[in-house]
């Protein structure tokens, strides 16, 4: 079995400081095999915010798979936005925009979906997907394959299709051909789990979709700060959503969901609260 902690939308520069210590302590206690951070480490891509994000990451277990989000691209400095969009991210966080972790049970691959030409939207391109394909082609079939982006490939029911990452159908065809099992994302500040069967009608294929809320930001958009703990024990995956309980000064389990893989892909097995 493998355990992943899935954090997203940290937004250093606009965080609830009361959450940082308890979050670090809990993630450390969980002892994950991999920590995933699906973008928006900063609020406005400023040096001090990246320094704070770097200090936070250094306080968490490794290995880590971290990808940038649209907030990690400068907004107000127009020259840097287009000429050096991720220079500070590379300097403070990582030079690797396609981080990769693999062992004998799971493979976790990050893809950068942040772009200078859009303020919120993201996209992936053919060159990125070709590089993903090259890495996946060497993996054994039994390995659970996980993709991490900031912008989501699928959405909760009440969100507009424009929120889906650009060129998603192109990417999904490749994901299906190589049996990608799970897609992790953030961006919406809303927790969500499901599968891709309704949006992408691909015979015999349904990837598990896992959306993380914001772990630390004050921009909660009506949902408590939260993060996911994902346990992979093929052909089963369980997902616990931890949410912030201010009256306790701690993150507690809010829901536990179980998914199972069959010949037609991943589907929900059970869900409980608490």
């Amino acid at each position: 079995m493998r355990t992943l902690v899935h954090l997203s939308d940290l937004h250093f520069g606009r965080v609830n400081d009361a959450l940082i210590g308890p979050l670090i302590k809990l993630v450390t206690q969980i002892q994950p095999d991999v920590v995933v951070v699906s973008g928006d480490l900063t609020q406005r891509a400023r040096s001090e915010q990246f320094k704070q994000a770097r200090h936070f990451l250094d306080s968490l277990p490794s290995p880590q798979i971290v990808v940038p989000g649209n907030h990690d691209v400068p907004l107000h400095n127009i020259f840097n936005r287009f000429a050096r969009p991720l220079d500070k991210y590379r300097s403070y966080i990582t030079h690797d925009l396609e981080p990769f972790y693999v062992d004998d049970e799971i493979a976790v691959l990050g893809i950068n979906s942040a772009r200078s030409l859009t303020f919120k939207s993201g996209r992936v391109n053919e060159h990125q997907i070709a590089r993903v394909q090259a890495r996946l082609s060497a993996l054994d079939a039994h390995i659970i394959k996980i993709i991490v982006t900031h912008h989501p490939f699928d959405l909760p029911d009440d969100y507009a299709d424009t929120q889906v990452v650009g060129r998603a159908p192109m990417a999904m065809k490749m994901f299906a051909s190589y049996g990608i099992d799970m897609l992790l994302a953030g961006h919406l500040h809303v927790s969500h789990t499901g599968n891709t069967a309704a949006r992408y009608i691909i015979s015999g294929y349904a990837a598990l979709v896992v959306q993380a809320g914001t772990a630390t930001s004050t921009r909660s958009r009506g949902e408590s700060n939260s993060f996911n703990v994902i346990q992979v024990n093929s052909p089963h995956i369980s997902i616990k959503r931890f949410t912030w309980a201010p009256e306790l000064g701690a993150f507690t389990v809010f829901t536990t969901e179980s998914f199972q893989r069959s010949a037609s892909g991943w589907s929900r097995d059970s869900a409980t609260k608490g």
Side-chain angles (χ1 to χ4, degrees):
M1 185 175 72
R2 295 291 183 266
T3 300
L4 295 84
V5 165
H6 176 204
L7 309 172
S8 197
D9 296 84
L10 305 177
H11 288 282
F12 276 94
R14 195 170 174 180
V15 301
N16 182 345
D17 291 327
L19 279 62
I20 301 299
L23 179 58
I24 292 171
K25 181 179 180 180
L26 179 55
V27 172
T28 302
Q29 289 174 344
I30 291 168
Q31 297 182 316
D33 296 286
V34 184
V35 173
V36 171
V37 183
S38 54
D40 277 3
L41 283 78
T42 67
Q43 179 63 18
R44 282 290 172 252
R46 293 175 179 144
S47 296
E48 185 58 33
Q49 295 170 6
F50 276 118
K51 290 178 183 178
Q52 293 169 3
R54 179 71 266 165
H55 179 72
F56 175 75
L57 294 176
D58 288 342
S59 301
L60 298 177
S62 293
Q64 299 175 0
I65 296 294
V66 184
V67 296
N70 50 287
H71 276 263
D72 300 317
V73 176
L75 177 63
H76 301 298
N77 187 323
I78 301 302
F79 175 79
N80 283 345
R81 180 173 184 83
F82 291 98
R84 300 193 294 256
L86 289 172
D87 271 17
K88 289 184 180 180
Y89 178 90
R90 292 175 186 269
S91 176
Y92 291 105
I93 306 303
T94 177
H95 284 277
D96 191 356
L97 300 183
E98 296 175 351
F100 185 49
Y101 170 85
V102 63
D103 61 26
D104 58 358
E105 292 190 37
I106 61 171
V108 189
L109 178 56
I111 305 175
N112 170 31
S113 62
R115 296 293 186 267
S116 298
L117 291 174
T118 61
F119 291 107
K120 291 185 178 181
S121 301
R123 66 183 298 179
V124 295
N125 61 44
E126 293 178 354
H127 295 294
Q128 289 175 301
I129 298 307
R131 290 192 294 269
V132 172
Q133 185 174 359
R135 277 176 156 167
L136 296 178
S137 63
L139 298 180
D140 289 341
H142 75 276
I143 291 176
I144 297 294
K145 303 170 187 68
I146 302 165
I147 297 292
V148 182
T149 56
H150 178 61
H151 298 85
F153 282 90
D154 211 336
L155 304 167
D157 291 338
D158 54 347
Y159 278 76
D161 290 349
T162 54
Q163 298 274 24
V164 172
V165 66
R167 294 196 172 177
M170 176 269 295
M172 288 300 301
K173 289 179 181 179
M174 190 281 290
F175 293 167
S177 66
Y178 281 86
I180 296 297
D181 294 283
M182 185 159 47
L183 306 172
L184 307 185
H187 187 56
L188 304 178
H189 294 205
V190 172
S191 302
H192 169 66
T193 56
N195 70 27
T196 59
R199 184 176 297 275
Y200 307 98
I201 301 175
I202 302 173
S203 178
Y205 180 70
L208 181 56
V209 175
V210 183
Q211 188 86 24
T214 171
T216 56
S217 175
T218 58
R219 301 171 70 244
S220 59
R221 299 178 187 170
E223 181 180 291
S224 298
N225 292 95
S226 64
F227 70 96
N228 299 319
V229 175
I230 303 167
Q231 292 184 314
V232 178
N233 189 14
S234 183
H236 304 282
I237 291 177
S238 71
I239 301 168
K240 291 183 179 179
R241 192 208 315 176
F242 283 75
T243 62
W244 177 248
E247 68 280 6
L248 300 175
F251 285 90
T252 61
V253 177
F254 183 70
T255 58
T256 301
E257 298 175 277
S258 297
F259 295 83
Q260 182 166 333
R261 184 172 58 188
S262 66
S264 58
W266 289 91
S267 60
R268 194 183 312 274
D269 191 34
S270 66
T272 58
K273 282 200 171 184

